[in-house]
Amino acid sequence: MHARTAWQALAHHPLAFLATAWPWRALAYLLSGVGVGALTLVVLVAGLLTGLVLLPVGVGAAVLLAVVLGGGVVARVERWRLRLVDLDPAATERWAPDAPGVRAWLRTRLRDRLTWRELGFTAVSMTALWWMDLLVLAFALALPVLCVTAPLDDPGAWPWVVIGLALLPAAPYTVTGWAGARAALTRLVLAPRDAELTEVRASRARLVGAFDAERRRIERDLHDGAQQRLVSVNVMLGLARLDAGPDSPLGRRLDAIQGELTTAVGELRELSRGVHPRALTDQGLAAALTNLTARSPLPVTVDVALPGPLPASVASTAYFVVAEALANATKHSGAGRAEVQARLRTDTLVVTVRDDGSGGADPTGRGLTGLADRVAAADGILRLSSPSGGPTLLHVELPCH
């Protein structure tokens, strides 16, 4: 895998990492951090003092405003420097002015939280971060060099040479480790991936919604199309059976065909329920869970108390969580009974499924992994407790906002 950050390069290839450009990029990042931090400290402190001195005559307010907006300049430089140890773009979004003109631009900038976040990061950078850069460089590079050159002034200090030579190979790792930490902090404050994560969540939610809509369409087509035709054929076979003799070969064949057709209709009905239960759409989650547990070969106690209808995506997710949990309990756990409970707590649906089986459920299994992905797509939380010997408890929280 191609490393996108210095940390990734260090973690994935700790030995081959020494032969890459990443240690040098990390060194350049820290050296430039010392220069930028020292320059920022001088310029902004001078501006702050000048603004405070000139504040009584009115000019100081403009200088102080420039100091506040100067955080944006420093942040722009930090985002540019970030590319030394983090190859991902460090773009960020600012609020657009609500009107043309300098006054509207200033008003928007001062209201934008990013402006104050940049100013806060600038304050931390010029008072602490560049000093830490300097200390790391001194420990990783200057200290080994001083130890190696110690015998030049005092021949009896030769043991320091051994210490210096022992510290020197660790220098690339020390420099890169701190550079990665500093870059992670910079990205967290100045270039967060919130917008990307929001878009990913929205895209995943759209996919789940489209999948549920397709499931409902398939269920509707099965129920109103193929299933109704098979029922009609079954009725016609019944009429034909009346015209045949009671013990004739044709009658016996028609009986066999009608029996197979009845079985096929029942299987198709179960298939359509598995795709998307009609009761979930027509009557809600409580009725759908009641129907589901009534068909389960495992005795199930149902305790569902909901004040009203739920969002369709939430109800669908909860239903399939319970269906998968009961299927696992029936097939794999050897459970004698199960319990299903659903409650709405404030704006969160809490669903728990418990069985008295042998436990040991694998959270990385195909079924539970699919459930976890589905719950995550709804911004929910899935927790599983299944110690060896049982019992197994599946706890799901789904936000309903």
Side-chain angles (χ1 to χ4, degrees), residues 49-63:
L49 294 176
T50 302
L52 292 176
V53 171
L54 298 178
L55 192 58
V57 297
V59 182
V63 177

Side-chain angles (χ1 to χ4, degrees), residues 48-317:
L48 181 61
L49 294 176
T50 302
L52 292 176
V53 171
L54 298 178
L55 192 58
V57 297
V59 182
V63 177
L64 293 177
L65 181 61
V67 170
V68 172
L69 297 178
V73 177
V74 176
R76 191 173 296 112
V77 174
E78 289 293 336
R79 293 189 187 99
W80 177 79
R81 288 196 324 109
L82 192 61
R83 297 300 297 272
L84 286 170
V85 289
D86 188 342
L87 301 182
D88 291 335
T92 189
E93 295 183 1
R94 292 187 180 276
W95 292 359
D98 53 3
V102 177
R103 186 186 298 271
W105 181 85
L106 284 174
R107 183 172 60 249
T108 303
R109 285 292 172 268
L110 293 177
R111 289 178 178 176
D112 193 345
R113 289 179 297 178
L114 181 59
T115 300
W116 301 101
R117 197 161 64 220
E118 291 173 339
L119 182 62
F121 180 84
T122 300
V124 173
S125 177
M126 72 180 187
T127 56
L129 292 181
W130 77 273
W131 290 100
M132 297 177 70
D133 293 345
L134 187 60
L135 288 174
V136 170
L137 290 173
F139 176 79
L141 301 177
L143 181 59
V145 171
L146 290 175
C147 291
V148 171
T149 58
L152 296 179
D153 298 326
D154 182 8
W158 63 267
W160 289 104
V161 176
V162 179
I163 297 176
L165 292 177
L167 291 175
L168 202 56
Y173 298 97
T174 304
V175 169
T176 305
W178 169 244
R182 196 193 199 288
L185 175 63
T186 302
R187 177 171 288 282
L188 180 66
V189 178
L190 298 182
R193 292 186 172 94
D194 295 348
E196 298 174 26
L197 292 176
T198 300
E199 177 57 30
V200 169
R201 293 191 189 100
S203 176
R204 189 167 56 179
R206 287 194 296 270
L207 288 175
V208 172
F211 182 63
D212 283 340
E214 185 65 15
R215 292 173 73 113
R216 287 192 292 271
R217 185 192 65 79
I218 293 173
E219 186 275 335
R220 186 171 58 252
D221 290 346
L222 287 175
H223 183 272
D224 298 338
Q227 187 174 326
Q228 294 301 324
R229 289 190 179 92
L230 288 177
V231 171
S232 298
V233 171
N234 201 6
V235 171
M236 288 187 287
L237 282 174
L239 294 176
R241 177 66 184 84
L242 295 176
D243 294 337
D247 296 324
S248 65
L250 178 60
R252 288 193 294 271
R253 288 188 187 132
L254 288 175
D255 285 339
I257 294 173
Q258 194 171 16
E260 291 295 327
L261 190 58
T262 301
T263 302
V265 171
E267 292 177 350
L268 186 61
R269 185 177 293 112
E270 289 298 320
L271 176 63
S272 66
R273 287 172 178 167
V275 171
H276 191 88
R278 179 169 289 269
L280 185 62
T281 303
D282 296 342
Q283 302 173 6
L285 179 61
L289 291 180
T290 300
N291 292 342
L292 173 66
T293 54
R295 299 194 309 271
S296 174
L298 191 68
V300 182
T301 302
V302 183
D303 181 12
V304 179
L306 302 174
L310 300 171
S313 60
V314 174
S316 177
T317 300

